[in-house]
């Protein structure tokens, strides 16, 4: 949990102009070189940089200059507002549209070029199309207009003395283009040597590269779809209930304390407490819980959820940046912008990639000139161009961030909020899950399981008296007793002089005399003899229940046993975790016997009982000392230190009142199955990441030598620059498409059902 | 009404804060403190 504990001031800046993993590394270096910057992480998929500043922070202008010097740009406006988000979306849409036009024009021109150039393959192509001057004419706009952005970026980088994939593309296609032009202009010199123009290389390549860019831009838009959907949940206006009537106001004008009215079918604008009326509310978009929940007076409602059946009025409690929805969006955005440790490897490789590839291309050229078959220059050039074109590391740069973006977005839809890419990576390697007992494995609130009257009494008076005393109590045990009495429809006698006896119980006066409600110590302290009840009490305690005695007017009246019962899904979840190869350990502050009783019901055999709250973290540390990566699941409130100590802390929130900033993973739904969903999602994400990286690395490792013509001496195989360009475009597309599969992620059996 | 043997207050047995059995007789107290004192040395309070 180290990243979130950092108090260093942090900037989140948009960066324009990045297209590959090599760019990422360059921007990071540029930012780190600025004095006052302690760390910088750049994400290609979100096009954002996260900069951590030291005690003497760097000025924004310094950062901007450094990035500009590296050949990229930090735009004037850096804050993320709804407007900037909209503008960004509009920019993206415009970019996609522009690329589409270029793609269409490129394709319309490149196809005839291909037909005309390969007369032996397409004998039916008209004769005029075979004229090299026509091909020249057709190719020129493709080379310079369709592919203009590559050359512009190349020149910009040249000025800053940096390189990127643009360098490769620009040098490669220009080499092919100008060579062909030279052949057309001086046919006698070149054709005599056996050289032919090959405009099709340049034309098709550019078209494929633009196709790649277009697909990439579309896919990038798709990966942040989840955020867009979350943001769209918030309505733009709400109905303010005023003494004089109702009035529609923009959401920005709502302040905490305002009374808002919601009709059936409307979205709830901000977080609040129901004041009047009742309804069922669909919170599925926030919690993943598919069933609508009942909300009556005093209940919490969350902005973004949909009111289904009734009309009600609620008082706004949290607005703007403080709403649960806004916090979720912020968290998911941060997670999407974070960098998985595994990506650093790819970034490092990519940063040395371009110079290495330029070297390989030069070597290829030299080797073919020296030893290649005639026409040597033609072969040398073709193969060198092929190497330059195929070696773009953009798939490498997209492999991890796209997967992380899609996974965190999908997680949010399922009610599983993941803090960062690092959390995903750590979680997938975790094979030990520690479950806190109370509130995690169990419901977290006790229910009355037994009422034992003393000889000569009934159960109802015992419960009624106890409930009467506990009426005002906020102790969970008291609440359980009151709930039980109410569910039996018992009338509660009035009480006076209620008093809590710390560590022992409570007392109060009723008409019959003094009522004592508490443990053995309370009874002993007041001289009350439990008689036969003592044996019952021992039996119930051994079964893992908490027992309270009820005494009235100096006589033991009976006893009530309460227990925190297991969540209904606990058994299945523990079994599913086992099936996933995860060791499940239960941690509890309860006595050994109580803890073991619950653990047995859940099917857990490793129990650490009698652990005080502040010892939980120590217990986690002990497990880590065995070399385990430990995930801890708790409620995030009283086990916060243990969650922080664990390699991954998962907090299960009850309902919507959550401290989502507190844990590595927040389960929005009060359901243990979220743990399985989280682990499952992390494992699938990392599998996809590894596939992506394997694909991206493997593609370069395999195809660069092929493009260089290494197979030629053996099988006579050569890779044309056109195929190289196509393969390059497809590698990016396949990586992004693979990541998008996570958008359809469903947790495996035992996980949440949605 | 019973008398708290420690502080000599009148106590209603039904609503007494505590009680103690000593030699077959039940004594009632106004508060737990009185009971604790009594239990430590009953003879002192019943002595005369």
């Amino acid at each position: 949990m180290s990243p979130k504990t950092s108090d260093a001031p942090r900037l989140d800046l948009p960066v324009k102009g990045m297209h590959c993993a090599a760019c990422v590394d360059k921007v990071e270096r540029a930012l780190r070189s600025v004095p006052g910057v302690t760390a910088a992480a750049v994400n290609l998929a979100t096009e954002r940089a996260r900069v951590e500043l030291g005690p003497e922070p760097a000025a924004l202008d310094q950062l901007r200059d450094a990035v500009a010097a590296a050949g990229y740009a930090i735009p004037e406006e850096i804050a993320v507002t709804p407007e900037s988000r909209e503008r960004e979306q509009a920019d993206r849409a415009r970019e996609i549209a522009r690329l589409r036009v270029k793609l269409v024009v490129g394709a319309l021109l490149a196809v005839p070029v291909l037909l005309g150039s390969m007369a032996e393959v397409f004998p039916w192509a008209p004769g005029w199309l075979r004229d090299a001057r026509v091909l020249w004419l057709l190719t020129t706009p493709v080379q310079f207009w369709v592919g203009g952005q590559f050359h512009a970026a190349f020149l910009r980088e040249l000025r800053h003395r940096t390189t990127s994939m643009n360098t490769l593309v620009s040098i490669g296609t220009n080499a092919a283009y100008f060579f062909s032009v030279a052949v057309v202009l001086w046919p006698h010199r070149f054709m005599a040597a056996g050289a032919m123009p090959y405009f099709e290389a340049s034309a098709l390549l550019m078209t494929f590269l633009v196709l790649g860019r277009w697909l990439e831009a579309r896919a990038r838009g798709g990966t942040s779809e989840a955020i867009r959907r979350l943001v769209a949940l918030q309505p733009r206006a709400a109905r303010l209930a005023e003494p004089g009537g109702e009035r529609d106001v923009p959401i920005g004008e709502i302040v905490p304390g305002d009374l808002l009215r919601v009709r059936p079918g409307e979205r709830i604008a901000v977080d609040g407490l129901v004041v009047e009326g009742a309804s069922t509310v669909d919170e599925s978009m926030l919690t993943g819980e598919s069933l609508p929940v009942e909300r009556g007076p005093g209940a919490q409602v969350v902005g973004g959820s949909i009111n289904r059946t009734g009309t009600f009025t609620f008082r706004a409690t949290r607005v703007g940046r403080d709403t649960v929805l806004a916090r979720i969006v912020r968290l998911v955005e941060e997670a999407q912008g974070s960098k998985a440790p595994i990506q650093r490897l790819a970034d490092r490789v990519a940063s040395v990639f371009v110079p290495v590839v330029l070297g390989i291309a030069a070597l290829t050229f030299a080797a073919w000139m020296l030893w290649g078959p005639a026409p040597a220059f033609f072969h040398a050039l073709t193969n060198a161009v092929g190497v330059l074109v195929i070696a773009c590391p953009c798939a490498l740069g997209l492999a991890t961030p796209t997967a992380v973006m899609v996974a965190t977005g999908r997680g949010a839809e399922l009610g599983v909020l993941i803090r960062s890419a690092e959390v995903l990576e750590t979680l997938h390697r975790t094979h030990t899950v520690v479950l806190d007992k109370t509130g995690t494995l169990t419901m977290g609130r006790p229910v009355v399981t037994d009422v034992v009257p003393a000889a000569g009494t009934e159960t109802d008076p015992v419960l009624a008296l106890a409930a009467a005393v506990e009426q005002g109590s906020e102790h969970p045990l008291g609440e359980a007793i009151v709930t039980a009495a109410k569910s039996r429809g018992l009338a509660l006698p009035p009480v006076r002089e209620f008093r809590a006896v710390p560590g022992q119980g409570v007392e109060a006066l009723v008409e019959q005399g003094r009522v004592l409600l508490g443990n053995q110590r309370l009874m002993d302290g007041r001289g009350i003899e439990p008689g036969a009840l003592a044996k019952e009490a021992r039996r119930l305690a051994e079964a893992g229940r908490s027992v309270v005695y009820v005494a009235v007017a100096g006589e033991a009246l009976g006893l009530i046993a309460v227990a925190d019962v297991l969540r209904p899904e606990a058994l299945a979840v523990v079994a599913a975790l086992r099936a996933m190869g995860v060791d499940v350990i239960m941690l509890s502050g309860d006595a050994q016997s109580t803890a073991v009783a619950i653990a047995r019901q859940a099917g857990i055999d490793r129990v650490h009982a009698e652990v005080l709250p502040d010892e939980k973290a120590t217990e986690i540390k002990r497990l880590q000392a065995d070399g385990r990566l430990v995930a801890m699941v708790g409620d995030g409130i009283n086990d916060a230190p243990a969650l922080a100590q664990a390699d991954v802390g998962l907090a299960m929130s009850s309902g919507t009142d959550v401290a989502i900033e507190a844990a590595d993973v927040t389960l929005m739904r009060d359901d243990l199955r979220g743990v399985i969903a989280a682990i499952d999602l992390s494992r699938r994400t990392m599998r996809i990441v590894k596939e992506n990286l394997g694909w991206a690395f493997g593609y370069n490792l395999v195809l660069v030598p092929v493009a260089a013509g290494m197979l030629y001496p053996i099988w006579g195989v050569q890779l044309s620059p056109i195929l190289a360009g196509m393969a390059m475009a497809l590698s990016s597309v396949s990586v992004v498409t693979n990541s998008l599969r996570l958008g359809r992620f469903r947790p495996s059996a035992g996980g949440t059902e949605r | 009404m019973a008398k708290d043997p420690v502080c000599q207050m009148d106590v209603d047995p039904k609503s007494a804060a505590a009680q103690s059995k000593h030699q077959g007789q039940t004594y009632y107290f106004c508060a737990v403190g009185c009971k604790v004192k009594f239990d430590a040395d009953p003879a002192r309070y019943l002595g005369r």
Side-chain angles (χ1 to χ4, degrees):
Chain A
M1 311 230 306
S2 50
K4 68 171 161 279
T5 48
S6 161
D7 293 330
R10 220 166 57 179
L11 279 175
D12 196 17
L13 305 168
V15 178
K16 298 280 171 226
M18 296 185 294
H19 280 289
C20 64
C23 313
V24 170
D25 192 71
K26 262 181 287 173
V27 175
E28 283 181 358
R29 272 166 209 256
L31 288 168
R32 277 191 217 115
S33 71
V34 178
V37 172
T38 53
V42 172
N43 184 307
L44 176 60
T46 52
E47 299 188 280
R48 297 190 83 83
R50 189 169 303 165
V51 183
E52 280 182 23
L53 300 171
E56 286 166 42
L60 184 57
D61 283 342
Q62 283 174 284
L63 298 175
R64 200 170 267 142
D65 291 347
V67 169
Y72 305 90
I74 296 175
E76 278 302 312
E77 191 180 0
I78 57 166
V80 180
T81 61
E83 296 78 46
S84 76
R85 209 190 299 275
E86 270 170 29
R87 202 164 324 122
E88 207 170 283
Q89 247 166 51
D91 283 352
R92 184 170 288 149
R94 233 190 338 270
E95 166 81 2
I96 292 173
R98 199 174 56 89
L99 285 170
R100 194 174 49 225
V101 171
K102 288 195 168 187
L103 176 63
V104 170
V105 172
L108 286 177
L109 293 172
V111 169
V113 172
L114 177 71
L115 296 180
S117 311
M118 299 193 153
E120 58 286 7
V121 186
F122 310 104
W124 40 266
W128 58 267
L129 199 54
R130 296 182 194 178
D131 189 327
R133 284 164 301 181
V134 174
L135 296 180
W136 180 10
L137 196 72
L138 291 173
T139 302
T140 304
V142 182
Q143 172 69 13
F144 296 107
W145 181 72
V146 174
Q149 56 183 329
F150 298 102
H151 310 306
F154 168 56
L155 290 175
R156 198 165 58 234
E157 283 159 13
L158 204 60
R159 271 203 302 282
H160 299 294
R161 288 166 222 270
T162 64
T163 54
S164 74
M165 75 156 284
N166 298 310
T167 317
L168 304 179
V169 169
S170 188
I171 292 180
T173 56
N174 278 319
Y177 177 83
F178 286 109
F179 169 75
S180 305
V181 171
V183 173
V184 174
L185 289 179
W186 299 285
H188 306 297
R189 287 203 50 189
F190 285 93
M191 290 199 182
M196 296 284 286
Y198 68 130
F199 286 113
E200 79 278 10
S202 149
L204 281 176
L205 241 165
M206 277 306 178
T207 308
F208 278 126
L209 289 169
V210 169
L211 170 69
R213 280 281 163 92
W214 177 63
L215 289 170
E216 190 187 306
R218 275 176 36 133
R220 278 192 201 179
T223 47
S224 46
E225 184 73 1
I227 289 277
R228 214 177 50 76
R229 266 205 295 252
L230 279 171
V231 171
L233 288 180
Q234 183 161 62
R236 282 167 191 263
R239 191 169 302 113
L240 196 63
E242 288 176 325
E246 293 170 2
R247 183 165 66 92
D248 281 354
V249 292
I251 194 151
E253 289 178 19
I254 297 167
V255 294
D258 281 352
L259 286 177
L260 301 170
R261 202 155 175 75
V262 192
R263 301 223 172 93
E266 289 180 340
R267 253 181 217 290
I268 295 163
V270 296
D271 297 356
L273 291 173
V274 177
V275 181
E276 191 199 336
S279 181
T280 52
V281 175
D282 180 359
E283 294 179 347
S284 61
M285 54 295 294
L286 292 163
T287 62
E289 168 68 64
S290 48
L291 292 176
V293 286
E294 304 271 342
R295 290 289 183 253
Q300 260 203 354
V301 290
V302 207
S305 52
I306 299 174
N307 178 27
R308 282 284 183 77
T309 48
T311 300
F312 64 90
T313 308
F314 73 99
R315 188 179 300 282
T317 52
R318 281 183 300 230
V319 302
R321 286 173 56 84
D322 301 326
T323 62
V324 170
L325 180 63
R327 281 147 73 205
I328 292 176
V329 168
R330 217 153 47 228
L331 187 98
V332 175
E333 271 180 345
E334 283 196 11
Q336 292 193 331
S338 67
K339 183 175 281 188
I342 197 169
Q343 179 66 20
R344 300 198 191 282
L345 169 72
D347 288 352
R348 265 204 303 278
V349 171
S351 70
V352 297
F353 206 76
V354 174
V356 167
V357 168
L358 284 173
I360 294 177
L363 280 177
T364 303
F365 187 84
W368 280 87
M369 281 301 280
L370 287 175
W371 302 302
F377 183 76
F378 175 75
H379 281 296
L381 192 65
T382 310
N383 288 319
V385 169
V387 169
L388 290 176
V389 163
I390 207 156
C392 163
C394 39
L396 222 46
L398 291 170
T400 319
T402 50
V404 168
M405 277 180 85
V406 180
T408 47
R410 179 65 185 145
E413 286 175 0
L414 293 168
V416 177
L417 297 183
I418 295 159
R419 170 161 297 278
S420 69
E422 195 177 346
V423 169
L424 271 175
E425 191 171 330
T426 312
L427 189 58
H428 102 284
R429 287 188 287 132
T430 302
H431 286 278
T432 304
V433 170
V434 177
L435 296 164
D436 188 38
K437 195 208 85 176
T438 307
T440 303
L441 262 178
T442 63
M443 301 293 280
R445 44 192 162 80
V447 294
V448 172
T449 55
D450 306 82
V451 181
V452 183
T457 357
E458 301 287 312
T459 57
D460 281 358
V462 176
L463 199 55
L465 268 182
V469 174
E470 290 281 14
Q471 249 178 116
S473 160
E474 279 171 11
H475 193 281
L477 193 143
E479 283 174 9
I481 291 172
V482 173
T483 309
K486 280 188 178 158
S487 74
R488 294 193 196 187
L490 301 179
L492 309 185
V495 298
R496 305 178 278 127
E497 293 180 35
F498 172 87
R499 204 166 71 83
V501 187
Q504 300 188 357
V506 292
E507 61 180 314
L509 289 176
V510 297
E511 207 198 310
Q512 297 103 300
R514 184 176 299 270
V515 182
L516 297 169
L517 188 66
N519 55 17
Q520 183 77 52
R521 263 173 71 205
L522 181 69
M523 297 301 129
D524 289 348
R526 306 308 182 98
I528 291 171
E529 284 158 15
L533 290 173
K535 216 178 107 206
E536 278 296 300
R538 257 197 310 281
R539 185 184 65 82
L540 290 166
E542 272 161 25
R545 286 159 203 180
S546 312
V547 179
V548 287
Y549 287 94
V550 185
V552 66
E555 299 286 333
L557 192 69
L559 44 86
I560 297 174
V562 299
D564 186 8
V565 294
L566 207 63
R567 286 175 184 275
E569 74 274 13
L571 189 62
V573 167
V574 170
L577 284 172
R578 284 262 173 73
M580 291 165 87
V582 173
D583 285 342
V584 184
I585 298 170
M586 190 183 97
L587 214 57
S588 171
D590 292 350
Q592 185 76 23
S593 58
T594 315
V596 168
I598 284 284
R600 197 171 298 143
Q601 288 175 44
I604 298 175
D605 42 29
R606 288 197 59 177
V607 180
H608 294 218
E610 289 165 43
V611 182
L612 296 174
D614 50 341
E615 288 172 1
K616 286 183 182 173
T618 322
E619 205 67 26
I620 300 280
K621 216 180 266 175
R622 202 164 300 150
L623 288 165
Q624 287 168 327
D626 294 345
R628 291 165 181 268
L629 274 177
V630 180
M632 162 93 196
V633 190
D635 59 13
I637 301 161
N638 52 42
D639 44 21
L643 289 187
Q645 174 62 40
D647 297 287
V648 179
L650 296 93
M652 202 153 71
S653 64
S654 46
T656 44
D657 188 20
V658 284
I660 54 180
E661 292 82 2
D664 294 323
V665 177
T666 306
L667 308 175
M668 293 297 291
R669 182 133 68 113
D670 192 22
D671 188 325
L672 255 187
R673 283 174 290 191
V675 175
I676 293 182
I679 294 178
D680 208 10
L681 181 63
S682 76
R683 290 189 179 180
R684 277 197 222 179
T685 307
M686 293 319 290
R687 197 167 67 220
I688 296 253
V689 165
K690 282 172 190 162
E691 281 170 15
N692 284 350
L693 286 175
W695 180 247
F697 270 119
Y699 154 88
N700 277 310
L701 281 178
V702 170
L703 290 186
V704 168
V706 175
M710 300 244 302
L711 296 182
Y712 185 75
I714 313 166
W715 294 307
V717 176
Q718 268 180 281
L719 193 68
S720 78
I722 299 164
L723 281 176
M726 198 158 75
M728 202 229 78
L730 285 178
S731 76
S732 291
V733 171
S734 60
V735 158
V736 171
T737 314
N738 199 27
S739 296
L740 286 175
R741 289 198 302 152
L742 283 167
R744 294 191 303 272
F745 166 81
R746 271 162 213 282
S748 55
T752 43
E753 68 267 16
R754 217 167 66 113
Chain B
M1 278 296 160
K3 208 172 248 312
D4 182 327
V6 178
C7 66
Q8 307 301 323
M9 247 174 78
D10 284 334
V11 184
D12 176 3
K14 272 166 56 175
S15 55
Q19 62 200 38
S20 215
K21 253 198 186 123
H22 183 67
Q23 293 173 343
Q25 174 85 40
T26 306
Y27 298 92
Y28 298 94
F29 305 96
C30 69
V32 180
C34 289
K35 173 182 156 60
V36 172
K37 280 184 188 165
F38 178 84
D39 287 351
D41 187 8
R44 185 178 157 199
Y45 299 100
L46 302 173
R48 18 200 147 133

